[in-house]
Amino acid sequence: MTLAELVGQLCMIGFEGTEVTPDLRAWMQEFRPGGIILFSRNLIDPAQIAHLTNDLQALAGDIPLLIGIDQEGGRVSRLPSGFTIFPPASTVAHSGSTELAYQAAAITAKELRAVGINMNMAPVLDIHTNPSNPIIGDRAFGTEPEQVCLMGAATLAGLHDHRVLACGKHFPGHGDTSTDSHVELPVVHATRERLESVELKPFRYAIAHGLQAMMTAHVHYPALDPTNPATLSSIILTDMLRRQMGFSGVILSDDLEMGAIVNHSAVGEAAVRSLQAGVDMLLVCKTRGLATDAIKAVCSAVESHVLDRCRLETSLARIASVKQQFVSPYHPIDILSIPDTVGISAHHHVLVQIQDQFRTLT
């Protein structure tokens, strides 16, 4: 692998459009990204999604892609009509049933796999402790650690049991913020003791129950690191998450194009600093030019010995491990089989159960 290809494998990128255009094809052939993240702008209907994922995987060669999506349910749902779309995590949790949480995740996983998507950026493991939080709210399973632990683990199991890689987010917790990291850098002033007893509990619980991918928060926690937000903090990602909490899976940055990052540094600089801190996979979710900047900045950092190539190969090995479990071997999606899985009445029945339970208990 060339250095540019090695660095490309550590990137998950987004793009505009609903098909593989000639310029996207050329870019992927040059840089060989390890993952793709899909948004509503890329998706029309189940058949189109399957065609798209087949085309993307055909470009990946002998190292298949992680193809991810934010399909939490509720307002963070990227899938178009035709799929079974579950309500937000808070509604699922209010059903009072971890079995229903498991079933919702299992159905989501089955329908994602049916169109070639093998990774879901869920469960949200944040605890909604700040009522004025502008970004988490009903995306969280609740306001208490125990409820988030149990529902998060059930969701994780439902995804993993049906071969979709779960990604817990946003480590070490976005629930107590009063600003949106898409726009600016939030600061959480909680003490270390408070973070240990509340925010970190669902992440520890999920790790103990097999979580293999974790997304960072673009949030500053002065009690943990006086200088850097979590995405750029070796204290938080390497010392705490890796060494103290024993997480051995893949650490993904949140999108490096978000305001919390780009208001303070260029994407290329942030990419280098993220990898130095302990991130394995860099998300650049929209602008291909910025993805190129990130790859070139990391290549330059390796060539100038600011970053050790062995450090990147360690991350590549972690990514290869989850791909072996959730992606390999890749088989093209059979378009004709999609109606047997996507949006079927049995799946809708579980959705109705959750809605009925919620109405009964609230």
Side-chain angles (χ1 to χ4, degrees), residues 85 87 91 348 350-360:
I85 310 296
T91 299
H348 183 71
V350 175
L351 170 60
V352 172
Q353 277 186 282
I354 291 171
Q355 292 169 331
D356 288 347
Q357 281 281 88
F358 177 76
R359 283 192 287 266
T360 300

Side-chain angles (χ1 to χ4, degrees), residues 12-321:
M12 176 173 279
I13 67 148
F15 61 95
E16 299 287 342
T18 57
E19 61 184 4
V20 176
T21 58
D23 60 326
L24 176 60
R25 179 183 302 274
W27 192 93
M28 289 184 63
Q29 289 171 335
E30 180 177 1
F31 292 110
R32 297 192 67 193
I36 298 289
I37 184 164
L38 300 175
F39 291 87
S40 298
R41 63 179 183 257
N42 306 121
L43 312 176
I44 299 173
D45 56 46
Q48 173 267 334
I49 299 170
H51 280 296
L52 177 61
T53 59
N54 279 344
D55 289 346
L56 289 166
Q57 291 288 12
L59 284 172
D62 57 351
I63 305 178
L65 294 162
L66 286 172
I67 299 182
I69 193 169
D70 292 293
Q71 190 60 32
E72 300 171 14
R75 58 192 162 104
V76 183
S77 296
R78 313 302 189 198
L79 294 173
S81 61
F83 290 85
T84 307
I85 310 296
F86 287 94
S90 64
T91 299
V92 175
H94 272 98
S95 73
S97 170
T98 54
E99 175 57 30
L100 284 176
Y102 175 93
Q103 288 186 47
I107 288 167
T108 298
K110 291 175 186 177
E111 297 196 6
L112 291 176
R113 290 288 306 194
V115 295
I117 299 171
N118 52 47
M119 183 176 189
N120 192 9
M121 305 305 182
V124 170
L125 297 174
D126 306 311
I127 303 169
H128 186 46
T129 55
N130 185 344
S132 64
N133 191 313
I135 190 63
I136 299 303
D138 63 2
R139 296 170 64 192
F141 286 110
T143 59
E144 299 298 327
E146 291 73 18
Q147 185 175 42
V148 178
C149 286
L150 294 174
M151 292 292 173
T155 300
L156 162 66
L159 292 170
H160 278 191
D161 287 353
H162 297 85
R163 289 200 75 212
V164 167
L165 175 63
C167 181
K169 59 189 187 186
H170 308 80
F171 183 82
H174 209 315
D176 196 23
T177 60
S178 56
T179 54
D180 180 357
S181 56
H182 292 85
V183 179
E184 58 185 297
L185 178 64
V187 180
V188 171
H189 291 287
T191 64
R192 171 100 186 211
E193 292 72 25
R194 150 62 192 259
L195 293 167
E196 289 281 359
S197 63
V198 180
E199 275 77 9
L200 291 176
K201 277 190 173 181
F203 295 99
R204 291 186 186 278
Y205 196 84
I207 291 168
H209 286 76
L211 185 68
Q212 296 182 54
M214 189 92 76
M215 181 181 289
T216 66
H218 295 331
V219 177
H220 184 205
Y221 310 82
L224 302 180
D225 184 328
T227 306
N228 302 300
T231 302
L232 309 179
S233 172
S234 61
I235 296 172
I236 293 173
L237 300 185
T238 298
D239 297 343
M240 174 183 283
L241 181 55
R242 288 276 186 226
R243 295 174 185 153
Q244 296 171 23
M245 298 175 66
F247 182 64
S248 59
V250 175
I251 300 175
L252 294 92
S253 75
D254 205 342
D255 182 10
L256 294 180
E257 295 191 59
M258 289 164 60
I261 296 297
V262 297
N263 291 347
H264 302 274
S265 66
V267 167
E269 177 192 352
V272 173
R273 292 178 61 195
S274 298
L275 293 170
Q276 288 173 322
V279 166
D280 298 302
M281 199 163 207
L282 305 166
L283 263 70
V284 183
C285 291
K286 186 177 181 181
T287 310
R288 201 175 313 150
L290 292 179
T292 304
D293 290 347
I295 292 171
K296 289 183 175 179
V298 174
C299 288
S300 295
V302 174
E303 290 165 346
S304 61
H305 306 291
V306 171
L307 268 174
D308 186 354
R309 181 170 175 139
C310 291
R311 158 73 191 83
L312 304 189
E313 289 173 346
T314 299
S315 290
L316 185 61
R318 293 189 186 113
I319 295 166
S321 177

Side-chain angles (χ1 to χ4, degrees), residues 330-347:
Y330 173 74
H331 299 292
I333 300 300
D334 176 6
I335 310 295
L336 296 179
S337 69
I338 293 174
D340 296 335
T341 303
V342 172
I344 61 175
S345 59
H347 293 177

